[in-house]
Amino acid sequence: MSNPFYAATTRWLLAVGWTFGAGLTLAQPAPGAGTPVPLNDLSAFVNPASNWHIVGSVRADLAKTNTLLTDKGTGVLVSLPSDKKNAKAGDLTTQFQHSDADIELDFMLAKGANSGVYLQGRYEIQLADSWEVKTPSSGDNGSIYQRWDDKRPAGQNGYEGHPARQNASRAPGLWQHLKASFQAPRFNAQGQKTENAKLLNVELNGVLIHDNVELSGPTRGAISNDEKTTGPLVLQGDHGAVAFRNIRYIAYDKPRPELVNLTFAVYKGKYEKEPEYDKTAPESEGPTTVLSSSVSRIPNEMLIRYKGTLRVAEPGEYRFRLGVPGGAGSLKIGDQMVVPLVGWVGNGTGKVTLPKGDIPVELFYSKFMDWVQPALGLSIAGPGVREFVISDATTSGGEEVDPILVDASGGNTILRSFMDVPGESTRGDIRSQGKRTRVTHAISVGSPDNVHYTYDMDKGALVQVWRGQFLDTTPMWHDRGDGSSRPMGMVQRMGTPMLFLAKLPSGQANWATDTTGTGYRPKGYVLDNNDRPTFRYQTYGSSVDDKIRVLEQGQGLQRELTVTNPAGDLYARLASGSTISAMDNNMYLIDGQEYIRIDDLGGAKPTIRESAGGQELIVPVKGKLTYSILF
């Protein structure tokens, strides 16, 4: 089954070097830290208006529109437009100018707030409180705003907006993350535009929401309707309360290295160790202008040896990724083996510091696995140079897998599979540190409200919640499969799955990590008239009904637990994190990433306690408890 969203994503992955199956594997390298925009004061900006301030922390009140509360300090940039008459509010323009660049930042919106990030001051990525939006428009969070023409007929003034592919937004008052890779417009020597600006990709909260979007001109509200090779970053500040932190950019303004004087030689045979070339005659050889596996007509058991010159205009450290499916390869630059021939795994990475000038290059590709199509890929990234594929980009190699997706838009949907949960080092020691946990009895429940969750039947625990599209089951059902599925939207993970209910002999006793001694027995689930499950299990001699439902307007999930004959000293673990903060209206903020709202605890009182380097929110269980997860 085909899917336009997945197909477009695949095209983007291929553009930066990924393919599916056993083929070419050129992953986009993790970018460097980039250049931070200092937020000790407002000196990094041009003539800031009075609505902009530097503060130490910021938080929202979900009950109040367009309101952010701040504390003194530095590190956070906040716009607080006043509703007073004659008060002036304005956008904020950076001192730095950029051309091609990666821009990355955290932002927080007040309830009902609206803002935007203008690349080069001309092309807006919209920031908006789209928490309750099901299908984004061009005016919603993460979307590319419309262009505007007052001369067009009424109702048709806005055009060429690009809605986000799915709503990957968080709730007001939660920190969100935006990452955009921008390519500036190109001009010839006469100043005529030869190529439109592009957003190569945009991620919102870790979800790809745009790829390779061409921008024919400035969007509405730009600093100017002309286009140039450089421009400032502009933050919109007159449409509502908004905060920013961790603003960084990587400028790509240096010339790319070039491969010149390239020659090839093809050798027939199964080379599983480095051959002795002075004893072997090539099947074919000659000059070439492109690095590609297509210079060989032999599909298998052959080796291609390239020699040439890498012309480097900008000295510095360069990163290389070599993809050679169905065999192995190596890359030598000057007298340094940059990608060594180790393990014959078919791909490799390396980095080397290069001077300016011409440097000899030697590359090998040995193909000896007959079930994989030959392909050769090499990418380079360096100082002021965005990663690019210097080989024949049209040769992808390998098998392109048509995805197998499960859509929950038509009704509540339940799928049982394995679910892999990555470790999250940002959540303190209480979260797994880099370990990947496989939940073997996971049940994922999807809703037409685009809010979904995964439940661990082995522990009675919520594994993760997410907003957006439902599941990618390709790993489970393609070919032999591995039994697992993957969430497709903005995922909020609950950490390594642990028991939701446990007996604590004291308030500081460690939480139980498994069912030993608990008498835990899963009893499956029952469905209501709308196919929504209520999970059932026994533990510590008590019977438990665990009902999880989507809140109105997709704000999150409400969980209602009913425990028959609860054992003494029985507690529920509502949340864990590095920092848990109590707020007004029975709310708790977990690491700035989610809210826990206490709805009904049957008279019990929750406690925040220290545990394993982090914090836990626990509560005694008296028989029934109800709380909500807002994210």
Side-chain angles (χ1 to χ4, degrees):
M1 60 182 72
S2 63
N3 179 281
F5 164 77
Y6 197 97
T9 305
T10 303
R11 288 195 298 273
W12 172 75
L13 292 170
L14 287 171
V16 298
W18 276 101
T19 62
F20 297 90
L24 176 64
T25 308
L26 287 176
Q28 181 87 343
T35 302
V37 176
L39 297 179
N40 297 319
D41 53 36
L42 292 171
S43 61
F45 305 96
V46 179
N47 298 324
S50 60
N51 53 297
W52 291 98
H53 310 274
I54 297 293
V55 300
S57 64
V58 63
R59 59 195 182 280
D61 187 335
L62 283 179
K64 296 180 181 179
T65 300
N66 216 12
T67 300
L68 289 178
L69 306 174
T70 64
D71 296 308
K72 291 182 179 180
T74 62
V76 178
L77 173 69
V78 62
S79 173
L80 300 172
S82 174
D83 57 2
K84 297 178 182 178
K85 290 184 178 180
N86 302 320
K88 292 185 178 180
D91 299 341
L92 193 63
T93 301
T94 60
Q95 298 277 6
F96 80 86
Q97 306 265 326
H98 72 88
S99 182
D100 292 3
D102 289 345
I103 307 291
E104 198 162 358
L105 54 81
D106 298 329
F107 67 96
M108 180 191 293
L109 294 159
K111 179 181 178 181
N114 180 311
S115 181
V117 174
Y118 285 85
L119 301 164
Q120 290 194 332
R122 291 170 171 82
Y123 315 97
E124 184 187 10
I125 300 175
Q126 176 81 339
L127 306 182
D129 173 17
S130 300
W131 186 29
E132 299 172 351
V133 172
K134 185 175 178 180
T135 303
S137 69
S138 60
D140 281 306
N141 201 27
S143 297
I144 301 169
Y145 205 66
Q146 293 178 322
R147 300 192 65 194
W148 195 264
D149 187 352
D150 287 324
K151 297 179 181 178
R152 290 189 171 211
Q156 301 177 32
N157 307 99
Y159 63 102
E160 291 186 9
H162 298 273
R165 286 176 171 172
Q166 56 178 308
N167 185 9
S169 302
R170 294 188 185 276
L174 300 181
W175 283 108
Q176 307 193 58
H177 189 72
L178 180 72
K179 182 178 179 181
S181 292
F182 173 76
Q183 181 175 294
R186 306 304 199 227
F187 300 88
N188 61 20
Q190 292 73 43
Q192 299 168 322
K193 187 170 70 168
T194 58
E195 192 174 337
N196 286 327
K198 289 181 181 179
L199 275 164
L200 302 179
N201 53 77
V202 178
E203 293 180 11
L204 177 61
N205 298 320
V207 178
L208 181 68
I209 56 172
H210 299 290
D211 80 279
N212 203 33
V213 176
E214 195 163 327
L215 307 170
S216 65
T219 58
R220 191 180 190 189
I223 59 173
S224 174
N225 283 325
D226 66 351
E227 293 183 281
K228 295 185 177 181
T229 56
T230 62
L233 188 69
V234 174
L235 305 176
Q236 190 177 63
D238 60 352
H239 279 51
V242 61
F244 298 91
R245 70 180 185 186
N246 299 330
I247 305 171
R248 293 179 176 270
Y249 65 95
I250 302 175
Y252 300 109
D253 53 2
K254 303 299 182 183
R256 292 176 170 181
E258 298 178 86
L259 269 178
V260 298
N261 305 322
L262 199 60
T263 64
F264 75 92
V266 177
Y267 299 85
K268 188 175 182 179
K270 190 173 184 178
Y271 296 96
E272 296 192 51
K273 62 180 181 179
E274 192 168 343
E276 298 178 8
Y277 291 102
D278 56 350
K279 296 181 181 179
T280 308
E283 290 287 313
S284 59
E285 58 185 333
T288 181
T289 58
V290 63
L291 195 65
S292 171
S293 63
S294 62
V295 296
S296 172
R297 297 181 180 180
I298 306 172
N300 195 48
E301 295 193 356
M302 61 84 181
L303 182 143
I304 306 173
R305 180 192 190 192
Y306 277 102
K307 298 181 73 174
T309 300
L310 185 66
R311 184 160 290 165
V312 179
E314 181 69 20
E317 184 180 85
Y318 285 82
R319 302 184 301 277
F320 294 83
R321 292 183 178 260
L322 177 64
V324 281
S330 66
L331 175 67
K332 186 177 181 181
I333 301 178
D335 59 357
Q336 299 188 62
M337 187 61 74
V338 179
V339 180
L341 198 65
V342 177
W344 298 89
V345 294
N347 60 77
T349 63
K351 60 184 179 180
V352 62
T353 299
L354 299 176
K356 180 179 179 179
D358 289 356
I359 309 167
V361 171
E362 190 170 26
L363 185 150
F364 300 105
Y365 171 30
S366 175
K367 169 70 165 55
F368 48 80
M369 299 177 184
D370 58 6
W371 64 88
V372 178
Q373 292 296 316
L376 172 61
L378 180 66
S379 73
I380 305 176
V385 178
R386 174 180 275 138
E387 186 190 29
F388 71 102
V389 178
I390 200 169
S391 59
D392 181 3
T394 62
T395 304
S396 60
E399 177 190 7
E400 294 182 26
V401 177
D402 209 14
I404 304 170
L405 310 180
V406 178
D407 181 17
S409 61
N412 295 300
T413 305
I414 299 175
L415 183 92
R416 183 167 181 167
S417 71
F418 296 152
M419 183 64 68
D420 291 328
V421 181
E424 296 191 22
S425 59
T426 60
R427 290 291 213 141
D429 292 339
I430 202 166
R431 304 276 177 153
S432 63
Q433 299 294 308
K435 291 184 178 180
R436 179 175 291 274
T437 301
R438 170 154 286 192
V439 181
T440 57
H441 292 80
I443 293 189
S444 294
V445 181
S447 80
D449 296 308
N450 290 344
V451 173
H452 323 293
Y453 67 92
T454 300
Y455 191 88
D456 183 359
M457 292 283 288
D458 276 342
K459 296 181 173 65
L462 267 176
V463 174
Q464 59 196 4
V465 296
W466 71 98
R467 175 175 288 107
Q469 299 185 14
F470 187 36
L471 285 176
D472 177 3
T473 59
T474 310
M476 178 167 58
W477 286 330
H478 171 69
D479 200 11
R480 297 173 68 178
D482 70 354
S484 69
S485 61
R486 297 181 294 219
M488 293 183 62
M490 188 279 293
V491 184
Q492 185 62 39
R493 293 189 171 90
M494 306 290 110
T496 301
M498 301 175 73
L499 290 176
F500 182 63
L501 296 177
K503 289 182 67 174
L504 296 181
S506 71
Q508 297 305 314
N510 291 332
W511 199 263
T513 58
D514 57 45
T515 59
T516 302
T518 66
Y520 183 91
R521 294 181 61 189
K523 294 293 185 178
Y525 58 84
V526 294
L527 298 177
D528 67 8
N529 292 334
N530 293 313
D531 295 327
R532 297 174 300 184
T534 295
F535 299 96
R536 291 177 169 176
Y537 59 90
Q538 292 179 343
T539 186
Y540 299 108
S542 303
S543 296
V544 180
D545 281 5
D546 196 350
K547 183 168 71 173
I548 302 168
R549 299 291 184 262
V550 176
L551 291 166
E552 289 185 7
Q553 298 177 306
Q555 294 182 344
L557 297 169
Q558 184 178 74
R559 188 176 192 182
E560 180 183 292
L561 207 77
T562 303
V563 183
T564 304
N565 300 319
D569 301 324
L570 188 65
Y571 285 79
R573 183 173 175 265
L574 305 187
S576 66
S578 296
T579 304
I580 299 178
S581 305
M583 305 176 68
D584 295 334
N585 303 318
N586 296 319
M587 298 271 285
Y588 293 83
L589 179 63
I590 318 297
D591 288 343
Q593 299 293 294
E594 71 200 59
Y595 298 106
I596 295 293
R597 185 184 68 203
I598 305 301
D599 298 323
D600 182 7
L601 298 182
K605 293 184 178 180
T607 299
I608 300 173
R609 71 171 194 165
E610 304 297 318
S611 177
Q615 294 185 315
E616 293 176 330
L617 179 64
I618 65 173
V619 61
V621 177
K622 303 297 184 181
K624 188 172 184 178
L625 64 88
T626 306
Y627 72 99
S628 296
I629 303 171
L630 310 177
F631 64 98

mmCIF file of all heavy atoms in Angstrom, residues 21 66 73 159 207 230 238 277 288 298 304 341-342 355 361 418-419 421 427 458 506 515 537 586 595 602:
data_model
loop_
_atom_site.group_PDB
_atom_site.id
_atom_site.type_symbol
_atom_site.label_atom_id
_atom_site.label_comp_id
_atom_site.label_asym_id
_atom_site.label_seq_id
_atom_site.Cartn_x
_atom_site.Cartn_y
_atom_site.Cartn_z
ATOM 1 N N GLY A 21 15.822 -1.083 3.402
ATOM 2 C CA GLY A 21 16.281 -2.402 3.041
ATOM 3 C C GLY A 21 17.777 -2.523 3.196
ATOM 4 O O GLY A 21 18.406 -1.911 4.039
ATOM 5 N N ASN A 66 -3.132 34.184 26.575
ATOM 6 C CA ASN A 66 -2.047 35.114 26.246
ATOM 7 C C ASN A 66 -1.288 35.602 27.484
ATOM 8 O O ASN A 66 -0.903 36.764 27.578
ATOM 9 C CB ASN A 66 -2.605 36.325 25.486
ATOM 10 C CG ASN A 66 -1.645 36.807 24.417
ATOM 11 O OD1 ASN A 66 -0.671 36.130 24.085
ATOM 12 N ND2 ASN A 66 -1.914 37.973 23.876
ATOM 13 N N GLY A 73 16.294 36.511 35.840
ATOM 14 C CA GLY A 73 17.456 35.722 35.472
ATOM 15 C C GLY A 73 17.802 35.932 34.016
ATOM 16 O O GLY A 73 17.371 36.922 33.391
ATOM 17 N N TYR A 159 -2.033 33.078 -0.578
ATOM 18 C CA TYR A 159 -1.769 31.976 -1.508
ATOM 19 C C TYR A 159 -0.423 31.336 -1.176
ATOM 20 O O TYR A 159 0.436 31.924 -0.514
ATOM 21 C CB TYR A 159 -1.798 32.448 -2.957
ATOM 22 C CG TYR A 159 -0.734 33.478 -3.318
ATOM 23 C CD1 TYR A 159 0.411 33.110 -4.016
ATOM 24 C CD2 TYR A 159 -0.880 34.816 -2.961
ATOM 25 C CE1 TYR A 159 1.383 34.046 -4.350
ATOM 26 C CE2 TYR A 159 0.075 35.759 -3.299
ATOM 27 C CZ TYR A 159 1.214 35.369 -3.986
ATOM 28 O OH TYR A 159 2.175 36.291 -4.314
ATOM 29 N N VAL A 207 9.334 15.661 14.754
ATOM 30 C CA VAL A 207 8.531 15.100 13.661
ATOM 31 C C VAL A 207 8.788 15.893 12.388
ATOM 32 O O VAL A 207 8.703 17.130 12.383
ATOM 33 C CB VAL A 207 7.029 15.142 14.000
ATOM 34 C CG1 VAL A 207 6.193 14.592 12.846
ATOM 35 C CG2 VAL A 207 6.748 14.351 15.272
ATOM 36 N N THR A 230 21.268 37.091 1.661
ATOM 37 C CA THR A 230 21.364 37.007 3.118
ATOM 38 C C THR A 230 20.262 37.847 3.753
ATOM 39 O O THR A 230 19.667 38.720 3.113
ATOM 40 C CB THR A 230 22.726 37.513 3.633
ATOM 41 O OG1 THR A 230 22.888 38.889 3.282
ATOM 42 C CG2 THR A 230 23.869 36.703 3.051
ATOM 43 N N ASP A 238 4.492 40.553 18.223
ATOM 44 C CA ASP A 238 3.361 41.454 18.474
ATOM 45 C C ASP A 238 2.009 40.761 18.378
ATOM 46 O O ASP A 238 0.977 41.414 18.354
ATOM 47 C CB ASP A 238 3.408 42.633 17.503
ATOM 48 C CG ASP A 238 3.333 42.203 16.042
ATOM 49 O OD1 ASP A 238 3.408 40.976 15.785
ATOM 50 O OD2 ASP A 238 3.211 43.075 15.170
ATOM 51 N N TYR A 277 47.107 -4.969 -6.179
ATOM 52 C CA TYR A 277 46.778 -4.480 -7.520
ATOM 53 C C TYR A 277 47.896 -4.698 -8.529
ATOM 54 O O TYR A 277 47.644 -4.788 -9.734
ATOM 55 C CB TYR A 277 46.412 -2.995 -7.436
ATOM 56 C CG TYR A 277 45.108 -2.783 -6.725
ATOM 57 C CD1 TYR A 277 45.084 -2.359 -5.405
ATOM 58 C CD2 TYR A 277 43.903 -3.068 -7.348
ATOM 59 C CE1 TYR A 277 43.897 -2.198 -4.730
ATOM 60 C CE2 TYR A 277 42.701 -2.909 -6.677
ATOM 61 C CZ TYR A 277 42.702 -2.476 -5.369
ATOM 62 O OH TYR A 277 41.524 -2.331 -4.705
ATOM 63 N N THR A 288 36.659 9.320 -15.532
ATOM 64 C CA THR A 288 35.222 9.503 -15.322
ATOM 65 C C THR A 288 34.993 10.834 -14.623
ATOM 66 O O THR A 288 35.913 11.388 -14.016
ATOM 67 C CB THR A 288 34.633 8.348 -14.481
ATOM 68 O OG1 THR A 288 33.229 8.548 -14.316
ATOM 69 C CG2 THR A 288 35.285 8.280 -13.121
ATOM 70 N N ILE A 298 29.640 -5.397 -14.169
ATOM 71 C CA ILE A 298 29.588 -6.654 -13.418
ATOM 72 C C ILE A 298 28.690 -6.448 -12.198
ATOM 73 O O ILE A 298 28.972 -5.587 -11.363
ATOM 74 C CB ILE A 298 31.007 -7.076 -12.967
ATOM 75 C CG1 ILE A 298 31.949 -7.137 -14.173
ATOM 76 C CG2 ILE A 298 30.959 -8.417 -12.248
ATOM 77 C CD1 ILE A 298 33.401 -7.345 -13.785
ATOM 78 N N ILE A 304 35.592 -1.974 -7.479
ATOM 79 C CA ILE A 304 35.881 -0.725 -8.183
ATOM 80 C C ILE A 304 36.909 0.050 -7.355
ATOM 81 O O ILE A 304 36.738 0.218 -6.138
ATOM 82 C CB ILE A 304 34.630 0.139 -8.378
ATOM 83 C CG1 ILE A 304 33.510 -0.647 -9.067
ATOM 84 C CG2 ILE A 304 34.959 1.394 -9.166
ATOM 85 C CD1 ILE A 304 32.190 0.095 -9.140
ATOM 86 N N LEU A 341 38.658 -0.046 6.223
ATOM 87 C CA LEU A 341 38.010 -1.284 5.798
ATOM 88 C C LEU A 341 37.888 -2.192 7.010
ATOM 89 O O LEU A 341 38.702 -3.081 7.225
ATOM 90 C CB LEU A 341 38.867 -1.941 4.706
ATOM 91 C CG LEU A 341 38.207 -2.991 3.833
ATOM 92 C CD1 LEU A 341 37.107 -2.372 2.995
ATOM 93 C CD2 LEU A 341 39.246 -3.625 2.919
ATOM 94 N N VAL A 342 36.862 -1.937 7.833
ATOM 95 C CA VAL A 342 36.710 -2.670 9.082
ATOM 96 C C VAL A 342 35.404 -3.442 9.058
ATOM 97 O O VAL A 342 34.336 -2.854 8.899
ATOM 98 C CB VAL A 342 36.730 -1.713 10.290
ATOM 99 C CG1 VAL A 342 36.506 -2.490 11.575
ATOM 100 C CG2 VAL A 342 38.054 -0.971 10.355
ATOM 101 N N PRO A 355 43.745 20.500 4.831
ATOM 102 C CA PRO A 355 44.210 21.852 4.482
ATOM 103 C C PRO A 355 43.542 22.327 3.199
ATOM 104 O O PRO A 355 42.895 21.548 2.488
ATOM 105 C CB PRO A 355 45.708 21.645 4.275
ATOM 106 C CG PRO A 355 45.793 20.245 3.725
ATOM 107 C CD PRO A 355 44.702 19.467 4.429
ATOM 108 N N VAL A 361 42.972 11.249 -3.436
ATOM 109 C CA VAL A 361 41.898 10.432 -2.866
ATOM 110 C C VAL A 361 41.942 9.053 -3.498
ATOM 111 O O VAL A 361 42.169 8.917 -4.709
ATOM 112 C CB VAL A 361 40.517 11.074 -3.119
ATOM 113 C CG1 VAL A 361 39.393 10.125 -2.720
ATOM 114 C CG2 VAL A 361 40.378 12.363 -2.355
ATOM 115 N N PHE A 418 5.311 -5.743 19.360
ATOM 116 C CA PHE A 418 6.432 -5.315 20.168
ATOM 117 C C PHE A 418 6.560 -3.803 20.003
ATOM 118 O O PHE A 418 6.207 -3.244 18.968
ATOM 119 C CB PHE A 418 7.732 -5.969 19.713
ATOM 120 C CG PHE A 418 7.773 -7.464 19.868
ATOM 121 C CD1 PHE A 418 8.564 -8.234 19.032
ATOM 122 C CD2 PHE A 418 7.030 -8.113 20.847
ATOM 123 C CE1 PHE A 418 8.624 -9.603 19.161
ATOM 124 C CE2 PHE A 418 7.072 -9.489 20.990
ATOM 125 C CZ PHE A 418 7.876 -10.239 20.142
ATOM 126 N N MET A 419 7.089 -3.151 21.035
ATOM 127 C CA MET A 419 7.325 -1.713 20.947
ATOM 128 C C MET A 419 8.679 -1.410 21.584
ATOM 129 O O MET A 419 8.906 -1.737 22.748
ATOM 130 C CB MET A 419 6.217 -0.924 21.646
ATOM 131 C CG MET A 419 6.345 0.579 21.537
ATOM 132 S SD MET A 419 6.203 1.213 19.831
ATOM 133 C CE MET A 419 4.464 0.869 19.476
ATOM 134 N N VAL A 421 11.350 1.091 23.096
ATOM 135 C CA VAL A 421 11.368 2.382 23.776
ATOM 136 C C VAL A 421 12.816 2.803 23.963
ATOM 137 O O VAL A 421 13.559 2.155 24.704
ATOM 138 C CB VAL A 421 10.659 2.305 25.140
ATOM 139 C CG1 VAL A 421 10.668 3.666 25.814
ATOM 140 C CG2 VAL A 421 9.238 1.790 24.978
ATOM 141 N N ARG A 427 15.947 12.966 30.787
ATOM 142 C CA ARG A 427 14.934 12.834 31.828
ATOM 143 C C ARG A 427 15.525 12.409 33.168
ATOM 144 O O ARG A 427 14.812 11.996 34.055
ATOM 145 C CB ARG A 427 13.895 11.807 31.390
ATOM 146 C CG ARG A 427 13.017 12.282 30.260
ATOM 147 C CD ARG A 427 12.087 13.387 30.714
ATOM 148 N NE ARG A 427 10.859 13.298 29.987
ATOM 149 C CZ ARG A 427 9.669 13.513 30.508
ATOM 150 N NH1 ARG A 427 9.541 13.860 31.752
ATOM 151 N NH2 ARG A 427 8.596 13.404 29.776
ATOM 152 N N ASP A 458 2.211 -6.235 30.554
ATOM 153 C CA ASP A 458 3.002 -6.934 31.560
ATOM 154 C C ASP A 458 3.124 -6.166 32.871
ATOM 155 O O ASP A 458 3.457 -6.752 33.908
ATOM 156 C CB ASP A 458 4.421 -7.194 31.039
ATOM 157 C CG ASP A 458 4.492 -8.449 30.193
ATOM 158 O OD1 ASP A 458 3.569 -9.278 30.286
ATOM 159 O OD2 ASP A 458 5.463 -8.597 29.434
ATOM 160 N N SER A 506 7.820 1.934 52.970
ATOM 161 C CA SER A 506 8.087 3.269 53.503
ATOM 162 C C SER A 506 8.025 4.263 52.356
ATOM 163 O O SER A 506 8.070 3.887 51.185
ATOM 164 C CB SER A 506 9.466 3.334 54.161
ATOM 165 O OG SER A 506 10.498 3.284 53.183
ATOM 166 N N THR A 515 7.333 -7.709 38.344
ATOM 167 C CA THR A 515 6.142 -8.220 39.036
ATOM 168 C C THR A 515 6.470 -9.224 40.133
ATOM 169 O O THR A 515 5.554 -9.795 40.728
ATOM 170 C CB THR A 515 5.201 -8.871 38.016
ATOM 171 O OG1 THR A 515 5.904 -9.940 37.347
ATOM 172 C CG2 THR A 515 4.729 -7.868 36.984
ATOM 173 N N TYR A 537 -6.397 -6.358 35.374
ATOM 174 C CA TYR A 537 -5.360 -7.238 35.911
ATOM 175 C C TYR A 537 -5.530 -7.373 37.416
ATOM 176 O O TYR A 537 -6.318 -6.640 38.040
ATOM 177 C CB TYR A 537 -3.963 -6.721 35.556
ATOM 178 C CG TYR A 537 -3.624 -5.329 36.049
ATOM 179 C CD1 TYR A 537 -3.031 -5.125 37.301
ATOM 180 C CD2 TYR A 537 -3.852 -4.206 35.244
ATOM 181 C CE1 TYR A 537 -2.693 -3.853 37.735
ATOM 182 C CE2 TYR A 537 -3.513 -2.929 35.671
ATOM 183 C CZ TYR A 537 -2.932 -2.767 36.914
ATOM 184 O OH TYR A 537 -2.601 -1.510 37.353
ATOM 185 N N ASN A 586 -4.373 21.988 40.880
ATOM 186 C CA ASN A 586 -4.083 20.555 40.927
ATOM 187 C C ASN A 586 -3.286 20.067 39.725
ATOM 188 O O ASN A 586 -3.489 18.948 39.235
ATOM 189 C CB ASN A 586 -5.383 19.753 41.044
ATOM 190 C CG ASN A 586 -6.118 20.019 42.331
ATOM 191 O OD1 ASN A 586 -5.507 20.117 43.395
ATOM 192 N ND2 ASN A 586 -7.442 20.163 42.245
ATOM 193 N N TYR A 595 1.909 17.899 31.356
ATOM 194 C CA TYR A 595 1.217 18.229 32.603
ATOM 195 C C TYR A 595 0.528 16.982 33.135
ATOM 196 O O TYR A 595 -0.007 16.170 32.373
ATOM 197 C CB TYR A 595 0.130 19.287 32.384
ATOM 198 C CG TYR A 595 0.594 20.636 31.883
ATOM 199 C CD1 TYR A 595 0.357 21.009 30.561
ATOM 200 C CD2 TYR A 595 1.209 21.539 32.737
ATOM 201 C CE1 TYR A 595 0.738 22.260 30.096
ATOM 202 C CE2 TYR A 595 1.599 22.797 32.290
ATOM 203 C CZ TYR A 595 1.361 23.151 30.962
ATOM 204 O OH TYR A 595 1.743 24.387 30.506
ATOM 205 N N GLY A 602 -9.817 10.364 45.412
ATOM 206 C CA GLY A 602 -10.550 9.768 46.517
ATOM 207 C C GLY A 602 -10.064 10.234 47.875
ATOM 208 O O GLY A 602 -10.082 9.470 48.839
#
